[in-house]
Amino acid sequence: MFGYVRVSSRDQNEDRQMLAMAEIGIPPDHIYVDKISGRNFDRPAYKKLLTIIHEEDLLYIKSIDRLGRDYKEILEQWSMLTKVKEVDICVIDMPLLDTRNGKDLMGTFISDLVLQILSFVAENERQMIKQRQAEGIMAARARGVKFGRPEMPLPENFAEVYGRWASGQISGIKAAGELHMPPATFRYKVKKIGSASKTNMTL
């Protein structure tokens, strides 16, 4: 008996999934946890689980979207686990998706049908969430809300060092070193100052 837990980032908490596994009685050393971004779906714990789990083992997951990041991947992983490795799967949040029940043709058909429907619903929900987030960001930007980390204030000696650089007394690398910032950051600050000066002249 094994459990697989996945959260999409290190900032998210896996406690809810872990609690469900504990209530079933899965030993802690049989629970595999991945904290993986949706952009980078290389899942080391899941890959390790696949090397250990074998025919007639039972795998618990809290919900079907823990198996993959989209509809296609969920179906692929389900098929690989149940048909290739011949592992039983139980989806805690959806008792209908328990391959131990209905091993006959009709039971398998119903289970596969429910899986496809729920996988589609899960992906559609994710897409709607992304769309709402994008719309919210656009609306916030329209109101003047700025995203990202605020820029660090310029060092107190920036004007003096900048003046010496602008007059050719020191190089850009030397100037960046005196300001304790990477050369690329110094170039960015210089470019920004130049853009601001042109804007003021235009005004």
Side-chain angles (χ1 to χ4, degrees), residues 67-194:
L67 276 184
R69 57 183 167 179
D70 54 38
Y71 174 74
K72 180 174 178 287
E73 187 162 36
I74 291 171
L75 296 181
E76 285 178 350
Q77 294 304 312
W78 184 278
S79 178
M80 184 272 294
L81 287 164
T82 59
K83 295 179 172 61
V84 177
K85 297 189 75 68
E86 298 185 359
V87 170
D88 276 317
I89 303 177
C90 177
V91 181
I92 299 171
D93 285 349
M94 180 53 60
L96 276 174
L97 290 178
D98 186 338
T99 58
R100 295 171 297 177
N101 301 328
K103 290 284 189 178
D104 58 4
L105 183 61
M106 180 58 69
T108 301
F109 171 75
I110 292 174
S111 180
D112 287 349
L113 183 61
V114 170
L115 171 68
Q116 293 200 37
I117 293 172
L118 291 178
S119 299
F120 173 78
V121 170
E123 180 174 2
N124 188 61
E125 183 178 358
R126 280 194 297 272
Q127 294 301 325
M128 290 297 293
I129 290 172
K130 288 181 180 178
Q131 182 178 339
R132 287 194 294 268
Q133 288 174 337
E135 291 171 352
I137 290 171
M138 289 178 63
R141 283 177 174 162
R143 297 194 306 270
V145 176
K146 294 183 179 180
F147 294 88
R149 292 181 296 181
E151 287 192 26
M152 296 293 291
L154 293 173
E156 292 182 2
N157 62 333
F158 185 87
E160 183 267 328
V161 174
Y162 173 81
R164 287 193 288 125
W165 168 83
S167 63
Q169 297 178 41
I170 57 175
S171 67
I173 294 177
K174 174 70 173 175
E178 290 188 20
L179 295 168
H180 304 290
M181 61 175 59
T185 302
F186 177 70
R187 288 195 296 270
Y188 167 75
K189 299 292 186 183
V190 168
K191 185 177 180 181
K192 191 172 181 180
I193 290 171

